[in-house]
Amino acid sequence: MTRVVLEADGLGKSFGGNVVLKGAGFAAKRGTITALMGRNGAGKSTMLRIAIGRVRADFGRVLFNGDFLDPPRLASMATAGLFFSAQDSALTDLFTVEQHLSAVAQVYHRKAEVSRVIERLDLGAFLDRRPRSVSGGERQRASLAMAIVRGPTCLLMDEPFVGVAPRDRSFIVDGLSALKHQGCAVVVSGHDVEDVFSVSDEIVWVAAGTTHAIGSPNEARRHHQFRREYLGLRA
């Protein structure tokens, strides 16, 4: 059985009178890319933020490497290999892309990885630029590069394909696939069907505050309710 690195189970969360989650969850498995799919506002990002401790759940639990965390704390989980990327949250305009990568490599003693990830994600053309001066897709590639340099055991990446050009998408898919083959447990969120399906092994459908693990992308395409209610296709 594939080892579960991070598990969120039975999560509930309301903001004011708005119930966002009611018994939702997901599992990040070693060497597997799991996708949280759902419409905007379905609760995908909220689940990820609960899992890393940025949002406090009303109920439910989070386990990391089998340990129950109450509350989850990103700093302690990061020490054990978790990396969270919320679009360009890992980047600051105080530094260039290259300076970001160099700093991460120095902290994690992985300087040899920098040149490889620059080549893999084709970052050379904008290494000397600051995040605000590059495109959204280039920022996503830079954020993913920082994750790869760290050598994470678990990566949570929120909406990696939003606002990115087709060329950027191919590099993001390649980078995520490389982490998977290194044994990293990867979770991505999104609602762009073809982009998410192209990289994922398992699909978790987030709808009406709950989650439904519906299998591989091929199984998701054949899932009667998912086809009708999410893909908008006739069963």
Side-chain angles (χ1 to χ4, degrees), residues 122-194:
D122 195 24
L123 307 181
F126 55 92
L127 279 175
D128 61 346
R129 295 165 65 185
R130 298 179 191 272
R132 68 182 172 216
S133 68
V134 301
S135 71
E138 289 167 340
R139 285 195 297 274
Q140 286 288 38
R141 284 156 58 192
S143 293
L144 181 55
M146 290 177 65
I148 294 172
V149 167
R150 286 181 60 164
T153 59
C154 183
L155 169 67
L156 308 183
M157 196 165 191
D158 196 17
E159 301 278 8
F161 298 108
V162 168
V164 303
R167 183 174 183 275
D168 296 310
R169 290 187 180 99
S170 66
F171 287 114
I172 292 169
V173 168
D174 183 63
L176 291 171
S177 298
L179 283 173
K180 165 190 165 177
H181 291 302
Q182 292 166 15
C184 182
V186 179
V187 178
V188 299
S189 68
H191 54 268
D192 301 302
V193 175
E194 295 307 322

Side-chain angles (χ1 to χ4, degrees), residues 19-38:
V19 178
V20 178
L21 300 173
K22 46 183 179 182
F26 67 89
K29 303 174 184 176
R30 189 178 186 278
T32 302
I33 300 178
T34 301
L36 307 180
M37 297 195 70

Side-chain angles (χ1 to χ4, degrees), residues 10-68:
L11 301 181
K13 182 63 183 178
S14 297
F15 295 97
N18 181 30
V19 178
V20 178
L21 300 173
K22 46 183 179 182
F26 67 89
K29 303 174 184 176
R30 189 178 186 278
T32 302
I33 300 178
T34 301
L36 307 180
M37 297 195 70
R39 302 182 188 280
N40 285 332
K44 305 181 301 295
S45 297
T46 299
M47 273 199 294
L48 294 179
R49 284 169 168 76
I50 288 172
I52 62 166
R54 288 193 176 174
V55 173
R56 178 92 182 194
D58 297 333
F59 53 85
R61 64 176 188 165
V62 175
L63 296 94
F64 185 55
N65 290 325
D67 296 326
F68 172 54

